[in-house]
Amino acid sequence: RMLANLMLYLPQANGIAIIGIDGGLINTSRSYPFEPIDGSDRDYYRIPAKDSSGEIFVSTPEMSRASKRPVIFLARRMVAADGRFAGVALAVLDVGALRDFYRSLDMGAGRGVTLARNDGTALVAFPDDVPLGGMPLLEKDEWARVLTDRGGSFSVPDGTGATRFVSVHPVRGVPLALGLSLHEADALGPWRGLNRIILFQTLIACRRSDVCPKVTRLRHSISRSTWGSFSGRPTNGIRRCSWKRRRITR
């Protein structure tokens, strides 16, 4: 019951389990009584059993022996009062549930999301698929670089001659990072469309402004004519206006 109550605070987890010092299942949040499961051959047991750092271990996608579905295990070593190994606390993430969540975001065409370990192993992706065991990221070095700065972005070619923009940020508390990608064409498409509209409207405005030089020349001629009438100087072919007409012209 205590493990089941913990699930209320971990909505992203599909289950919580306690693994004993021999790798066997001791308790689980799913049901009781439960079917005995031996996990001594799994990485979620073997690595925490040897690693005394206390850091969370994140497995690659594996097929769950309990649910028969692809899952990711988050495991942490438990220790007794004297410091000896006392088993493993285990949280289970359902890969299908994560993909369904990413799909529900409705990010649009040309966009994708990837959940990866800090070592550059992709665990879950959408719309792409990640096989059991995970797969190395193509831009593994770039991910590592931005993660040293606690997140950032970069651009990479996608293999088809196009460019992808990728934004990567660490997941707090666990050795995971989330990457969001966007194709250049989809990122700049709305901007290019707006640019075309502005250019079109500018051309129309320029066409309409063709009368401006004519108006400017007319005003200049009138000004010169009026000044010539006052000063008695030649007006370059423009006939002098009467005083009444000059007043109207002014």
Side-chain angles (χ1 to χ4, degrees):
R1 181 176 297 178
M2 182 185 68
L3 296 180
N5 290 336
L6 287 176
M7 290 289 294
L8 299 176
Y9 303 97
L10 296 171
Q12 68 274 22
N14 183 257
I16 300 175
I18 301 297
I19 308 299
I21 58 176
D22 60 352
L25 180 63
I26 294 179
N27 203 352
T28 177
S29 63
R30 289 176 175 166
S31 61
Y32 188 89
F34 51 83
E35 180 182 353
I37 296 177
D38 181 14
S40 60
D41 60 332
R42 295 290 189 109
D43 286 343
Y44 65 70
Y45 168 79
R46 294 188 299 106
I47 292 179
K50 297 177 181 179
D51 183 13
S52 59
S53 66
E55 295 183 356
I56 295 176
F57 167 75
V58 181
S59 76
T60 56
E62 304 178 21
M63 191 63 68
S64 171
R65 292 172 179 169
S67 65
K68 307 298 189 273
R69 293 171 55 88
V71 296
I72 298 170
F73 296 105
L74 277 66
R76 169 167 277 176
R77 176 189 176 100
M78 298 189 302
V79 295
D82 57 3
R84 290 183 301 171
F85 175 62
V88 175
L90 198 65
V92 185
L93 303 181
D94 188 280
V95 171
L98 288 174
R99 280 182 55 83
D100 289 343
F101 171 71
Y102 297 150
R103 182 184 295 108
S104 68
L105 298 178
D106 191 20
M107 296 177 290
R111 294 164 172 81
V113 57
T114 301
L115 181 67
R117 296 195 309 197
N118 288 352
D119 63 0
T121 302
L123 306 178
V124 186
F126 182 83
D128 300 325
D129 289 323
V130 176
L132 292 176
M135 60 183 296
L137 293 167
L138 296 177
E139 57 274 5
K140 178 178 178 179
D141 294 338
E142 294 292 337
W143 275 62
R145 179 182 61 81
V146 298
L147 285 178
T148 57
D149 297 329
R150 297 184 180 180
S153 59
F154 56 89
S155 61
V156 292
D158 65 355
T160 63
T163 300
R164 285 189 304 117
F165 300 119
V166 183
S167 177
V168 180
H169 296 277
V171 179
R172 188 171 65 176
V174 291
L176 292 172
L178 190 68
L180 302 176
S181 63
L182 174 63
H183 284 284
E184 180 183 29
D186 295 287
L188 301 182
W191 176 82
R192 286 171 176 164
L194 179 61
N195 191 38
R196 293 189 186 99
I197 294 174
I198 295 174
L199 177 60
F200 180 70
Q201 292 177 340
T202 302
L203 291 174
I204 293 177
C206 288
R207 287 283 293 181
R208 291 177 177 175
S209 64
D210 285 347
V211 299
C212 292
K214 299 177 182 177
V215 173
T216 301
R217 288 195 297 270
L218 179 60
R219 291 180 61 187
H220 182 64
S221 299
I222 294 174
S223 176
R224 292 177 60 187
S225 174
T226 305
W227 172 250
S229 298
F230 275 118
S231 62
R233 296 179 182 179
T235 57
N236 295 332
I238 300 177
R239 190 171 58 185
R240 295 181 180 179
C241 301
S242 65
W243 169 251
K244 184 177 181 180
R245 188 173 181 178
R246 279 202 306 273
R247 293 184 62 186
I248 296 174
T249 302
R250 293 180 65 192

